[in-house]
């Protein structure tokens, strides 16, 4: 399941979709994630996407909206909100902070 998520994290992965792909119940997949990773499927996917967002924002010239789209978010505002929840600052603030630290 983790391999599938890592290969398709830019797609709209849902618990129902994982259930269909692997022929497992949603409840069983949820229990597996809680037991082994201590987080939900959604939290895992969000963390994966946000870690890739950091890399894209740090090592590229892509704009925030472009990064959001590359990671499968159709709504840039939602992406920014998730990013702020995860890291405590907006993607734009992160870019500025990184640029100031590089000087």
């Amino acid at each position: 399941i983790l391999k599938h998520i890592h290969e398709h994290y830019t797609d709209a992965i849902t618990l129902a979709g994982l259930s269909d792909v692997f022929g497992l119940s949603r409840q069983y997949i949820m229990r597996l994630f809680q037991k082994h990773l201590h987080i939900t499927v959604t939290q895992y996917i969000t963390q994966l996407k946000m870690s890739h967002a950091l890399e894209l924002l740090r090592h590229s010239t892509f704009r925030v909206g472009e990064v959001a789209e590359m990671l499968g978010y159709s709504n840039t505002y939602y992406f920014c909100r998730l990013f702020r929840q995860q890291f405590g600052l907006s993607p734009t603030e992160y870019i500025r902070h990184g640029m100031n630290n590089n000087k």
Side-chain angles (χ1 to χ4, degrees), residues 26-43:
R26 288 181 253 177
Q27 292 76 18
Y28 182 68
I29 294 171
M30 289 187 313
R31 281 194 309 271
L32 285 174
F33 270 75
Q34 283 298 326
K35 179 179 179 181
H36 297 285
L37 301 173
H38 310 290
I39 58 174
T40 68
V41 174
T42 302
Q43 288 170 325

Side-chain angles (χ1 to χ4, degrees), residues 51-93:
S51 69
H52 282 92
L54 284 178
E55 293 302 311
L56 289 169
L57 292 170
R58 184 182 304 139
H59 300 293
S60 72
T61 58
F62 294 117
R63 294 184 316 224
V64 173
E66 292 171 321
V67 170
E69 190 175 311
M70 292 166 94
L71 295 173
Y73 293 104
S74 59
N75 184 318
T76 301
Y77 175 77
Y78 180 65
F79 166 75
C80 291
R81 193 173 72 184
L82 289 174
F83 191 94
R84 183 180 291 280
Q85 287 173 349
Q86 187 84 19
F87 303 112
L89 64 164
S90 72
T92 304
E93 292 168 336

Side-chain angles (χ1 to χ4, degrees), residues 3-37:
K3 182 179 183 216
H4 177 81
I5 290 172
H6 280 261
E7 290 173 350
H8 299 280
Y9 72 93
T10 59
D11 301 335
I13 300 173
T14 63
L15 187 55
L18 291 173
S19 176
D20 290 343
V21 168
F22 292 99
L24 302 169
S25 74
R26 288 181 253 177
Q27 292 76 18
Y28 182 68
I29 294 171
M30 289 187 313
R31 281 194 309 271
L32 285 174
F33 270 75
Q34 283 298 326
K35 179 179 179 181
H36 297 285
L37 301 173

